[in-house]
Amino acid sequence: MNTHTALSIPHLFLLIALIPVGARVFGALFERIKQPPVLGEILFGILIGPSLLNLVDPHTSELHLFSEIGVALLLFVIGLETDLYAFLRSARMSFVVGTIGLVLPFLFGYGGILASHRILQFPAGEDHLIKLIAIFTGATLTATSVGITARILKELHSLQTREARIILGAAVIDDLLGIIVLTIVSSLALSFARGVPVEEALSVSSLLTTFLLALGFPAVSILIGLFGLKLMNRFAPGLKLETVALPFAISLAMAALATLSGSAGIIGSFAAGLVLGLLPPRKEILHGAETIGKIFTPFFFVLVGATLDLNALFTSGNGLVVGGILLLLAILGKLLSGVVVRGGILPKIRVGIGMVPRGEVGLICAQKGVEAGLLSPELFGAVMIVVMGSTLITPPLLQWVFASRETARG
Amino acid sequence: MNTHTALSIPHLFLLIALIPVGARVFGALFERIKQPPVLGEILFGILIGPSLLNLVDPHTSELHLFSEIGVALLLFVIGLETDLYAFLRSARMSFVVGTIGLVLPFLFGYGGILASHRILQFPAGEDHLIKLIAIFTGATLTATSVGITARILKELHSLQTREARIILGAAVIDDLLGIIVLTIVSSLALSFARGVPVEEALSVSSLLTTFLLALGFPAVSILIGLFGLKLMNRFAPGLKLETVALPFAISLAMAALATLSGSAGIIGSFAAGLVLGLLPPRKEILHGAETIGKIFTPFFFVLVGATLDLNALFTSGNGLVVGGILLLLAILGKLLSGVVVRGGILPKIRVGIGMVPRGEVGLICAQKGVEAGLLSPELFGAVMIVVMGSTLITPPLLQWVFASRETARG
């Protein structure tokens, strides 16, 4: 996505003043009608975004930066509140859930497009092209947007539940596998747009490297972090750390290093939170990060809203029908990923719903498809409907299933 | 000053992680050698700025935004810690000090250039041109940079002293009059560059409007703020306000409105702090603003440092000599502004030294002079020496005179 910058300091100041307060007001209104505040924040974003009032361009570089810092801080706070060892204990289950939650939506999206082509003659084209479009569409349905789920779990004070740990872990896996999906899809787009054979644009060894780097970064950084803590405990046991600027810097630096080494940014800050959460001044660090997060994090959710394009709802009839079907398939695919979770029906449903939100990664995939001339505007509209629907439907559903009495801790 | 933006999110993340932590480390080192931390932060800025390591370009739009938010938050915090009524009581004295502290340095700078022309034949040129250059140079010496002084007074817990209030008030007056000076100087530069007669570029009525707007904004906004508080106390006495995002938004919005209505931005946020300081949750607001300030405010001081160009020290012999003389005159002019303060010699010196730092406004003036072809690079170097010298000499001096036992409260 391009970034624009042409705003003066006073103009930026007004936007930076408006967004956290507007988000807060809409959040409070939604709380009053027993809905998750985050839904209010996203709707506030739709309101001030290009679809309606057009006060905010979500691609303004400064606002985009605030939003990226916001989601990094959110994941850092979630990491601080997550018990690293309990998290690692449910890693295997997370891996299974995350993988199913990636494969099923992909297959459903792929099949959905093939079926739609046969039944509705939409999208139209040769078999080879349709297959490519189907791969692309499937890919856009894969990545879970962990921000929304994490925020709601935090608001419901449910981060200590087993389901929350499984969801977070699965979303991490999803984000890592999503990088691979994005690599594959970008290569396919490149190969299609330039007429290069797929084998040239995409090598198995480079995919393997991508995967190892993506997975390696959080693993290695958590190990180094734990080792560093041990060293600190031995050689400087009484060392007093600054609890605001330093943790903030560590979470941003880890996000940057994660991105630069081929992993996902928010996973870097999540890992930083997991490790720093083992330090004695965890409470002070958490308090500082939450205070600063009150400024930055609303930018993430408001810009998520501002990115949603209501015009997608006024796309052609075919786009709307396919969008609706893809949305159902996207929800079903993620819901089914929860089936493997042990316990009654509730934990399965909780985990499944927690995986439903799709976000930026899906839109980036779709955008690449449009740029390569593979996806039509109608299909982009359909993907927008999936992102919009899954983003807006999850908060109330998640609040509903997590507010149920039966809370599994352990 | 132009702004550039071409940095990726990970690159920005690393810079945004580096600056507050580096500032903190250098500040702590300076504290250990009994020097003001802010001096360490500025020197850290010189270190990572274009003169030395070249890690940071102070004109990067995102970093510039962080710095502007930082100084707005600093002045907001200073406003929160300043007693509005005591501040208004010393307003007359502030006005006198501020006016003297503007007129004397201007006259000294003006005379200094005329004398240097006669004695050193530097700068060279016709009488008419020399007079314009002298006016320009005088103008660059006028504006006090309140950020540095305010920060040191806060660190020394001296904001409650009479001298601190006089300095803050005088710096506010200076900033407001500085807008007039900048307007005059810009018009002169325009008239010179385009060959337009001065009378056309500069009208007395427009100057008067500028002055009234600059002075009117803080006055009106404080009155409206006080009135709003009275209304709130009457109609919603138990109203609980959000103490992090809302005050942050108010301080930025007031800074933006101040700039847009022709006043100085930081005066808007200072006024916001003065008024919000009268609210019951003052402590919570202060705590929140200070926590967020720990992230943003270091950007201001580090960028102040990064803007200082060490190459100015390697300018021609004439530039160096004139720079040194101007620096002495600049210090003397501000020192003399303290003479009118009542009490012994200490309060006079305290106020005088508090007014010494020059900053961005002087450099902007000088930059305009260079762009108009009026100031030579040597003279720009001389102004840079004034800014650098006054910025670096003030923190230790101020700490020294304020650490003296005899503290006048009242």
Side-chain angles (χ1 to χ4, degrees):
Chain A
M1 308 220 168
N2 312 356
T3 53
H4 318 258
T5 183
L7 302 184
S8 65
I9 291 286
H11 191 166
L12 283 169
F13 268 32
L14 289 177
L15 290 178
I16 293 169
L18 171 70
I19 288 173
V21 170
R24 183 90 184 185
V25 169
F26 270 66
L29 287 177
F30 270 68
E31 217 168 358
R32 205 163 278 191
I33 58 170
K34 304 248 186 312
Q35 290 299 311
V38 67
L39 189 59
E41 300 191 3
I42 296 170
L43 290 176
F44 176 66
I46 298 183
L47 178 70
I48 64 173
S51 305
L52 294 174
L53 296 181
N54 200 18
L55 294 174
V56 164
D57 172 359
H59 303 312
T60 309
S61 67
E62 289 87 352
L63 300 182
H64 179 64
L65 173 66
F66 269 62
S67 151
E68 292 286 320
I69 295 176
V71 68
L73 275 178
L74 174 66
L75 268 287
F76 178 64
V77 165
I78 301 291
L80 282 173
E81 296 200 69
T82 303
D83 176 346
L84 172 61
Y85 297 109
F87 179 75
L88 291 178
R89 272 200 303 278
S90 53
R92 213 174 38 184
M93 180 55 78
S94 294
F95 193 85
V96 175
V97 171
T99 309
I100 299 178
L102 185 109
V103 172
L104 280 190
F106 175 81
L107 291 179
F108 285 3
Y110 184 83
I113 290 294
L114 292 190
S116 159
H117 168 66
R118 200 159 297 176
I119 301 165
L120 300 172
Q121 278 79 49
F122 173 85
E126 288 173 44
D127 271 11
H128 175 71
L129 183 66
I130 295 298
K131 265 188 196 159
L132 258 178
I133 295 176
I135 290 177
F136 243 90
T137 313
T140 64
L141 303 191
T142 56
T144 296
S145 169
V146 64
I148 293 168
T149 296
R151 165 78 185 274
I152 296 171
L153 293 176
K154 180 170 160 48
E155 273 168 7
L156 297 172
H157 305 286
S158 302
L159 283 171
Q160 295 347 310
T161 61
R162 181 173 62 101
E163 292 96 314
R165 283 193 295 270
I166 295 176
I167 294 173
L168 287 176
V172 164
I173 298 294
D174 241 33
D175 246 14
L176 295 180
L177 293 174
I179 291 173
I180 321 290
V181 171
L182 202 59
T183 310
I184 297 178
V185 156
S186 303
S187 310
L188 285 178
L190 199 77
S191 119
F192 175 79
R194 303 211 185 144
V196 185
V198 177
E199 302 77 44
E200 255 178 55
L202 189 67
S203 81
V204 175
S205 71
S206 78
L207 264 188
L208 208 67
T209 318
T210 308
F211 181 66
L212 287 178
L213 281 175
L215 205 69
F217 182 85
V220 169
S221 58
I222 287 178
L223 281 178
I224 291 179
L226 288 177
F227 184 68
L229 287 189
K230 270 226 169 111
L231 276 186
M232 213 182 79
N233 277 334
R234 171 169 299 182
F235 294 106
L239 189 65
K240 259 200 184 169
L241 289 178
E242 208 273 339
T243 54
V244 177
L246 189 61
F248 172 83
I250 291 175
S251 68
L252 289 201
M254 287 289 289
L257 294 178
T259 310
L260 293 174
S261 63
S263 195
I266 52 174
I267 287 175
S269 42
F270 181 62
L274 281 175
V275 173
L276 291 190
L278 300 173
L279 282 177
R282 192 187 75 95
K283 269 199 177 168
E284 287 85 353
I285 295 175
L286 185 61
H287 176 74
E290 283 184 328
T291 304
I292 298 163
K294 280 186 187 161
I295 303 302
F296 286 106
T297 306
F299 285 82
F300 175 69
F301 294 105
V302 170
L303 290 198
V304 161
T307 312
L308 299 180
D309 185 358
L310 290 186
N311 294 316
L313 295 176
F314 307 109
T315 180
S316 73
N318 276 335
L320 213 55
V321 170
V322 173
I325 293 173
L326 286 180
L327 176 58
L328 288 179
L329 291 173
I331 293 174
L332 188 66
K334 291 288 183 181
L335 270 180
L336 289 175
S337 75
V339 168
V340 290
V341 175
R342 268 157 309 190
I345 182 83
L346 192 60
K348 293 184 204 299
I349 288 186
R350 282 178 169 175
V351 170
I353 291 178
M355 301 289 290
V356 164
R358 308 300 203 284
E360 216 188 21
V361 178
L363 287 181
I364 293 175
C365 270
Q367 191 66 47
K368 279 188 194 291
V370 172
E371 280 161 16
L374 258 174
L375 295 196
S376 61
E378 287 84 21
L379 263 181
F380 185 77
V383 172
M384 182 61 88
I385 287 173
V386 174
V387 171
M388 206 170 342
S390 66
T391 299
L392 297 179
I393 211 176
T394 310
L397 283 181
L398 207 56
Q399 173 168 308
W400 183 51
V401 293
F402 267 90
S404 307
R405 285 285 107 189
E406 184 199 324
T407 313
R409 283 169 188 275
Chain B
M1 308 221 168
N2 313 355
T3 52
H4 319 256
T5 183
L7 302 183
S8 66
I9 290 285
H11 191 167
L12 283 169
F13 268 31
L14 288 177
L15 290 178
I16 292 170
L18 170 70
I19 288 174
V21 170
R24 183 91 186 182
V25 170
F26 271 66
L29 288 177
F30 271 67
E31 218 169 357
R32 206 164 275 193
I33 58 168
K34 304 249 188 305
Q35 289 300 310
V38 67
L39 190 58
E41 299 190 3
I42 295 170
L43 289 177
F44 176 65
I46 298 182
L47 178 70
I48 63 174
S51 305
L52 294 173
L53 296 181
N54 200 18
L55 293 174
V56 164
D57 172 358
H59 304 311
T60 309
S61 67
E62 289 86 353
L63 300 182
H64 179 65
L65 173 66
F66 269 62
S67 151
E68 293 285 319
I69 295 177
V71 68
L73 275 179
L74 175 65
L75 268 287
F76 178 65
V77 165
I78 301 290
L80 283 173
E81 296 201 70
T82 303
D83 177 345
L84 173 60
Y85 297 109
F87 180 74
L88 291 177
R89 273 201 303 278
S90 54
R92 215 174 35 185
M93 180 56 78
S94 293
F95 193 84
V96 176
V97 171
T99 310
I100 299 178
L102 186 108
V103 172
L104 280 189
F106 176 80
L107 291 180
F108 285 2
Y110 184 81
I113 290 295
L114 292 189
S116 159
H117 169 65
R118 202 159 295 175
I119 300 165
L120 300 172
Q121 279 80 48
F122 173 84
E126 287 174 45
D127 271 12
H128 175 70
L129 184 67
I130 296 299
K131 265 188 197 159
L132 258 178
I133 294 176
I135 291 177
F136 242 91
T137 313
T140 62
L141 303 191
T142 57
T144 297
S145 170
V146 64
I148 293 167
T149 296
R151 165 77 185 276
I152 297 169
L153 292 175
K154 180 171 159 50
E155 274 169 6
L156 297 172
H157 305 286
S158 302
L159 284 172
Q160 293 351 307
T161 61
R162 182 172 61 100
E163 293 95 313
R165 282 193 295 270
I166 295 176
I167 294 173
L168 287 177
V172 164
I173 298 294
D174 242 33
D175 246 14
L176 294 180
L177 293 173
I179 290 172
I180 321 290
V181 171
L182 202 59
T183 311
I184 297 178
V185 156
S186 303
S187 310
L188 285 177
L190 200 76
S191 122
F192 175 80
R194 302 210 187 146
V196 185
V198 176
E199 302 79 41
E200 253 178 56
L202 189 65
S203 82
V204 175
S205 70
S206 79
L207 264 189
L208 208 68
T209 318
T210 307
F211 181 66
L212 288 178
L213 281 176
L215 205 67
F217 182 85
V220 168
S221 59
I222 286 178
L223 281 178
I224 291 179
L226 288 177
F227 184 68
L229 287 190
K230 270 226 169 108
L231 275 186
M232 213 182 80
N233 277 334
R234 173 168 297 181
F235 294 106
L239 190 66
K240 260 201 182 168
L241 289 177
E242 208 274 339
T243 56
V244 177
L246 189 60
F248 172 82
I250 291 175
S251 68
L252 289 202
M254 288 289 290
L257 294 177
T259 310
L260 293 174
S261 62
S263 196
I266 52 173
I267 288 176
S269 43
F270 181 61
L274 280 175
V275 173
L276 291 189
L278 301 172
L279 283 176
R282 193 188 75 93
K283 269 199 175 164
E284 287 85 351
I285 295 175
L286 186 62
H287 176 73
E290 283 184 328
T291 305
I292 298 163
K294 279 185 187 161
I295 303 303
F296 286 107
T297 306
F299 284 83
F300 175 69
F301 295 105
V302 171
L303 260 54
V304 161
T307 312
L308 299 179
D309 184 0
L310 290 185
N311 294 317
L313 295 176
F314 307 108
T315 180
S316 72
N318 278 334
L320 213 55
V321 170
V322 172
I325 293 172
L326 285 179
L327 176 59
L328 288 178
L329 291 172
I331 294 173
L332 189 66
K334 292 287 183 183
L335 269 180
L336 287 175
S337 74
V339 168
V340 291
V341 175
R342 269 159 306 192
I345 182 83
L346 191 60
K348 293 184 207 299
I349 289 185
R350 282 178 170 176
V351 170
I353 292 177
M355 301 288 289
V356 164
R358 308 299 202 285
E360 214 188 19
V361 178
L363 287 182
I364 293 175
C365 271
Q367 191 66 47
K368 279 187 195 294
V370 172
E371 280 163 15
L374 259 174
L375 296 196
S376 62
E378 286 86 21
L379 264 180
F380 185 78
V383 173
M384 182 60 90
I385 287 173
V386 174
V387 171
M388 207 171 339
S390 66
T391 298
L392 297 179
I393 210 174
T394 310
L397 283 181
L398 207 56
Q399 172 168 306
W400 184 50
V401 294
F402 267 89
S404 308
R405 285 284 111 191
E406 185 198 324
T407 313
R409 284 170 187 273

